[in-house]
């Protein structure tokens, strides 16, 4: 069949996506939002994820070798160890649960050899309801796994011992494609699940050129995802598919008591649009129980602080605490991995066989003061206050205005003496800062101006600090990333982010070829306390330690919710701007009304002070409008942008 006919055939089947006549490959991911302010908070609220989801998932512990006893054993351990009371409540079944799809009516059949409680009198009429009921009776919630395409990841990338769906080609089509409404009704209404992870292998592992497809084992599906090339990836189509899942979830669970986890490994620019459709979205390929791989996963979120917030979380993948280089013999690494996930508001999903967890491991996962940082209701992802290849300081503003959490993270192979300053914390110089060590659960002596910590290789310190904020009556916008929404990022053409660690073991796990290259789009997105290209914010030689850096032709929304009275910022074209010829006008809107506007500012113009009264305003919008577009994107700085009471 030609590709054209193939697409038409898809259309005729009335499948859940219209992949026909698709948008160009370069499409950035759906309807481009206009630069003009909308006057209302645009981030859609849906699902049940006001805080980063916490729980357990079978994949990192068991891969497809999951069974009911293993799942319930870990569930019981979560209850007995007190982890449930800390917030770990989702017990998520990953790949491997399915036997097949029943051909007579398309109903999914559970593999009852590993989930015996799902068996009924008819081998093809199975039900997860008894297991889900059992989890609910334990005070837990239940999650299930599927794929957005026709086939799943275990089928596309089988391991030697993978438990795979059985039967004919059609019976082995276990993914959502063509069955969206039916499957979601089964999972959420009949079986009662609360959480769904939707993988994406159906969109890249079953293209016509794949040997298993050529051999007739699977129906061909066009490769919408090209993992290492975002500009060949069919971004808009993929976004549309995940959007249909979100909409269908709203229909099967109108009370929105669901969690929707998008798992397309950071491809297709999902790092920019995931928050419009999912409660969490993977920002990178799979984590492995190795230090270098953990760095890669962490790096994929740590510069994405403006894309996360209550209801919508960057997902650097599940925890590997307990295994490999994060096991009981590597407690420094395990603690560091956990502290990093906590401070960037990552979902805390355990991937470990808790039936055999030594106390030292449960103590890591059960570190209540660290979990409390992750679950802080303001939902501000930690922001980099200091960064180098070897050492990073990440600071997270907590919901009490004078408190922050801090991780000082030694990524490298040498011991480091790290200095933490009041400026890193945006606290006033010369004032007393109280410090608590969150692993040791004890207060340290207070300090003024600076203090230091000796860190062994791969060690981190996690603190909670209390002091006097630099702004007496408010906060910088870069201290409230949970209130920001990137409505328009100003990016013209997608570029892969070169800052993410590239471990030796990516891809096929060998050093054949020339090594991993940047693959995840996002380079050029707005940042807190940094330009979009990782330079310091600087206007005519003045460095701004606080502020928002963005590309011109961007629009950022701030959820002020009537809590502030004044906005102010020093604005201008950043000294690092590639484009020098254009001019940029900065505009501040409150609920759609223009409140303040700068003149058109060129590369040599002095910073302009923008100030506006925002009393009663729910949504503040910051627009940087380029006048006369040049050849390269202009880089703009909202220096010391702040909201005051
Ligand atoms: C991957 C996914 C993993 C796991 C696995 C199952 O694509 O990233 O988290 O779900 O598939 O086969």
């Amino acid at each position: 069949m030609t590709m054209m006919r193939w697409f038409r055939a898809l259309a005729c089947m009335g499948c859940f996506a219209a992949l026909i006549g698709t948008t160009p490959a370069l499409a950035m991911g759906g309807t481009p939002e206009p630069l003009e302010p909308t006057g209302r908070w645009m981030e859609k609220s849906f699902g049940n994820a006001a805080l980063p989801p916490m729980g357990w998932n079978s994949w990192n512990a068991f891969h497809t070798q999951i069974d009911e006893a293993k799942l319930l054993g870990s569930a019981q351990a979560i209850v007995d160890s007190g982890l449930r009371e800390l917030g770990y409540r989702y017990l998520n079944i990953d790949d491997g649960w399915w036997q097949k799809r029943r051909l007579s009516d398309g109903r999914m059949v559970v593999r009852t050899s590993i989930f015996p409680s799902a068996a009924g009198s008819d081998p093809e009429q199975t039900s997860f309801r008894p297991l889900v009921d059992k989890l609910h009776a334990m005070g837990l919630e239940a999650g299930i796994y599927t794929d957005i395409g026709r086939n799943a990841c275990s089928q596309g990338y089988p391991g030697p011992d993978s438990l795979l769906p059985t039967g004919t080609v059609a019976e082995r089509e276990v993914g959502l494609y063509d069955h969206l409404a039916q499957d979601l009704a089964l999972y959420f209404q009949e079986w009662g699940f609360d959480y769904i992870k939707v993988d994406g292998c159906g969109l890249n592992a079953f293209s016509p050129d794949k040997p298993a497809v050529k051999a007739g084992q699977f129906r061909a599906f066009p490769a919408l995802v090209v993992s290492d090339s975002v500009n060949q990836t069919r971004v808009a189509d993929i976004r549309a598919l995940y959007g249909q899942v979100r909409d269908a979830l709203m229909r099967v669970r109108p009370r929105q008591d669901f969690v929707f986890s998008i798992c397309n490994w950071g491809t297709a620019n999902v790092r920019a649009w995931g928050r419009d459709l999912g409660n969490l979205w993977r920002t990178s390929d799979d984590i492995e129980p190795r230090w270098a791989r953990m760095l890669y996963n962490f790096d994929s979120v740590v510069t994405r602080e403006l894309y996360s917030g209550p209801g919508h979380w960057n997902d650097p993948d599940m925890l590997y605490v307990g295994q490999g280089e994060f096991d009981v013999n590597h407690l420094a690494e395990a603690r560091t991995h956990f502290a990093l996930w906590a401070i960037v508001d990552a979902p805390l999903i355990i991937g470990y066989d808790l039936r055999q967890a030594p106390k030292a491991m449960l103590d890591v996962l059960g570190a209540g003061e660290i979990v409390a940082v992750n679950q802080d209701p303001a939902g501000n992802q930690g922001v980099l206050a200091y960064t180098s290849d070897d050492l990073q300081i990440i600071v997270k503003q907590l919901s009490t205005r004078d408190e922050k959490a801090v991780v000082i993270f030694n990524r490298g192979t040498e011991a480091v003496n790290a200095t933490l300053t009041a400026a890193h914390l945006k606290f006033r110089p010369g004032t007393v800062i109280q410090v608590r060590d969150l692993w040791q659960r004890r207060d340290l002596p207070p300090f003024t101006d600076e203090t230091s910590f000796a860190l062994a290789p791969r060690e981190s310190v996690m603190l909670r600090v209390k002091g006097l904020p630099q702004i007496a009556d408010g906060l910088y916008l870069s201290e409230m990333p949970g209130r920001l929404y990137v409505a328009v990022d100003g990016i013209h053409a997608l570029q892969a982010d070169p800052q993410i660690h590239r471990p030796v073991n990516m891809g096929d796990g060998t050093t054949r070829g020339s090594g991993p290259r940047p693959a995840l789009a996002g380079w050029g997105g707005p940042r807190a306390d940094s330009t979009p290209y990782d330079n310091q914010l600087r206007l005519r030689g003045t460095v701004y330690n606080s502020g928002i850096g963005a590309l011109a032709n961007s629009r950022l929304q701030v959820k002020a919710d009537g809590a502030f009275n004044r906005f102010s910022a020093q604005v201008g074209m950043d000294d690092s701007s590639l484009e020098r010829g254009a001019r940029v006008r900065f505009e501040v809107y409150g609920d759609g009304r223009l409140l303040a506007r700068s003149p058109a500012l060129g590369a040599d113009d002095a910073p302009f002070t923008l100030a506006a009264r925002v009393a009663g305003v729910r949504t503040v919008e910051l627009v940087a409008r380029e006048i006369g577009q040049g050849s390269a994107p202009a880089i703009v700085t909202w220096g010391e942008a702040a909201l005051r009471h």
Side-chain angles (χ1 to χ4, degrees), residues 25 45 156 178 210 215 357 481 527:
S45 156
D178 285 341
K210 291 283 189 297
R527 293 283 314 279

Side-chain angles (χ1 to χ4, degrees), residues 224-240:
L224 303 190
V225 176
V226 180
S227 294
D228 58 356
S229 173
V230 69
N231 287 317
Q232 288 172 279
T233 293
R234 297 239 303 264
V235 174
D237 294 332
I238 294 164
R239 180 176 171 153

Side-chain angles (χ1 to χ4, degrees), residues 97-128:
W97 65 265
W98 28 43
Q99 185 72 51
K100 63 176 180 182
R101 190 178 287 285
R102 180 165 81 186
L103 285 188
S104 55
D105 61 357
R107 182 186 168 97
M108 284 296 299
V109 179
V110 180
R111 186 185 291 272
T112 52
S113 59
I114 55 176
F115 288 103
S117 72
S121 47
D122 171 351
E124 294 202 338
Q125 182 71 27
T126 58
S127 173
F128 262 136

